Structures are given as C-alpha cells and as structure tokens.
Amino acid sequence: MRMLIAAGLLGAALLPLNAFADSPFDGTWKEDVSSMKASKTPDVMVLKDGMFSCKTCTPPYTVKADGSDQSVAGNPYMDTVAVNASDPHKLVLTEKKNGKTMETLTFKVAPDNKTVDVDFTGTSENGTSFSGKGGLKRVAEGPQGSGPISGSWTRTGLTNASDSLVTATYKVNGDTLTMTDPTGDSYAAKMDGSDAPEKGNPGVTSVSVKKEGARTLMETDMRDGKVVETVKSTVAPDGKSMSVVDSNKLTHRTTTYKADKQ
C-alpha cells in the first residue's frame, strides 16, 4: 500500500487480538484514491539553461535535460534519470535502475502555466506493471528565464492508479501481522514494536508494527535503521473501511486516505 507518485513524483501502507480467527485487519484492502488529501508541502522543480533540478526529491538532484541517461546517487529506486524537455510545456522523466526502466513520468503544463497533469507508468521490483494519473497546482513561480515546469507545486491528488499500487493483504496469526502486496512488498512482524525485515521494497529495509487500541495499528518503516515513514491505520467499527495517516519523514509530507475492504 505504498504510492509512488513518484520517485520523480509518485508511491503506501498499513493485534495481537489474542489469537482469535478474525482480526479487524485480516483481508485485502484497497486505497480510495479519491479520498486522498496531502499536506501542502510543495514539490520544487527548475528547468533552465539546459539543466533540470528536482529540488525536493530525496535526495535532490540536478542533471542535463538533453534526454540522455544521467547518474543520480542516493536514490534506492533509480540510479539514472533521463530528462526530455524538447516541448516547453511537456517534460518527460525516464528513471532507470541497473539499465532497466522503472518509471516514466510525463508532466503536461497547462497553457496558463497554473496546473500540471502528471501521467506515470512503471514496473515494480518484481516485474509488476503500474500506471496512474495525478495533478499539480502552482503556488510559486520559477526563476526568471526558466521553463514553464519551473516553480513550486502542491499536489492535487490522484485521479486513478493501478490496483497493484493501492492494494495490500493483511493476516494476523497469533501475535504476528503478515503483509503482502502485488508489487512484491512483504513482511511478517510481531505486533510489539520490534523490528522485522521487509522484502521487495528497496526503500524500506525493516519495519515495526505496534497495536494502539483494539482497531489501530502504527507501522514504522525504516531504511538502514533510519525512520523514513510512519503509517497509522484505524479500522472502522463495521470493519469495512480503515482511515490511514501516512507521514513521509523524508519529504515532510502527510497524506490521509480511506481504504476499503475487498
């Protein structure tokens, strides 16, 4: 349950209830993208003098915008990015890892330069394909002489996303919670806050989960011992939905949404 939007823009997550058969978390859950609300922390990009800078990427980078693969260090999801800026109102980022295309993001700037439509397609670590659409709204202009994509932008949310990005399955067995999703991300963690390895997500190496009340679970995602994200999930009394608060500690962005039991 981790949205990408993306390593260039876009990526999301989720007792011991005394070993009874039906935990409130048991089952497959699908995020409702229409319910997503993100904090107003902006994305900042600059296209100027043949160079593209993603100033709020983690980590930030600046590369040539000539369409060729450029090295990017420190990002677990890619090691090169190609920036095609041949159309002033269209920017295409192609992100690769070990020579394999992981994600392609297309930014289409509106004629009035106030909004951006974002289309993304990609392949997860286990080979599962995904796609989706999102949007940006301008909150600040870019530097003088820069391209239309330049400036500060807040996210207006997703209009759609592949099921593989927004679906996860949970199962409680005794004091252990198991999570799997279609992209190959998985863990089996005791619900006492102790660390457990996470598989299939290069950006998360370990996870801890802890019960907070009968229907609430706090998940903490870590990369090499450093907290990168927390996800607080609370199942509704009827067991049909859960409310989620996802806090990314690297981007300082919090996203809330609802997930529905399938």
Side-chain angles (χ1 to χ4, degrees):
M1 229 180 243
R2 287 178 180 76
M3 308 296 305
L4 286 179
I5 255 190
L9 255 216
L10 154 76
L14 270 182
L15 301 158
L17 297 187
N18 296 323
F20 58 77
D22 295 305
S23 159
F25 284 89
D26 282 357
T28 297
W29 300 84
K30 182 178 179 180
E31 299 169 17
D32 177 5
V33 296
S34 68
S35 71
M36 287 185 174
K37 295 181 180 180
S39 57
K40 299 303 181 181
T41 305
D43 292 294
V44 182
M45 297 175 281
V46 176
L47 178 65
K48 187 178 181 181
D49 299 330
M51 303 295 290
F52 174 76
S53 296
C54 183
K55 295 183 176 295
T56 47
C57 287
T58 51
Y61 65 82
T62 298
V63 296
K64 293 180 180 179
D66 61 1
S68 65
D69 292 342
Q70 302 286 306
S71 295
V72 176
N75 190 314
Y77 299 101
M78 65 176 182
D79 51 34
T80 67
V81 61
V83 180
N84 186 329
S86 57
D87 182 334
H89 280 78
K90 181 179 178 180
L91 185 77
V92 180
L93 303 183
T94 303
E95 300 167 351
K96 297 180 180 179
K97 185 175 180 180
N98 298 323
K100 177 184 176 182
T101 297
M102 304 305 295
E103 188 165 24
T104 300
L105 297 109
T106 301
F107 300 82
K108 299 176 182 177
V109 185
D112 62 5
N113 295 338
K114 293 181 179 180
T115 61
V116 177
D117 289 331
V118 184
D119 295 325
F120 61 93
T121 61
T123 306
S124 66
E125 294 285 327
N126 73 346
T128 300
S129 61
F130 61 82
S131 63
K133 295 179 181 292
L136 303 173
K137 181 179 180 180
R138 185 183 293 281
V139 293
E141 298 289 336
Q144 187 174 4
S146 62
I149 192 66
S150 302
S152 298
W153 307 86
T154 55
R155 302 181 184 188
T156 57
L158 294 174
T159 54
N160 65 62
S162 298
D163 285 355
S164 59
L165 286 181
V166 296
T167 305
T169 299
Y170 295 85
K171 178 64 179 176
V172 171
N173 185 8
D175 62 353
T176 298
L177 175 71
T178 299
M179 186 283 296
T180 58
D181 70 27
T183 66
D185 194 3
S186 67
Y187 64 73
K190 290 185 180 298
M191 294 170 290
D192 59 3
S194 58
D195 289 351
E198 181 152 351
K199 301 176 181 179
N201 185 347
V204 178
T205 55
S206 64
V207 61
S208 66
V209 292
K210 190 172 180 63
K211 178 184 173 184
E212 294 185 353
R215 295 180 176 274
T216 298
L217 194 72
M218 176 63 79
E219 173 182 323
T220 301
D221 298 336
M222 289 161 282
R223 184 188 308 162
D224 301 325
K226 179 181 178 180
V227 175
V228 296
E229 191 169 17
T230 62
V231 185
K232 185 176 183 179
S233 304
T234 302
V235 178
D238 64 6
K240 296 180 179 180
S241 66
M242 68 167 68
S243 59
V244 182
V245 180
D246 186 318
S247 300
N248 188 309
K249 304 303 182 182
L250 300 180
T251 63
H252 307 290
R253 178 179 285 109
T254 297
T255 303
T256 62
Y257 59 88
K258 184 184 75 167
D260 297 313
K261 197 168 189 176
Q262 301 301 290

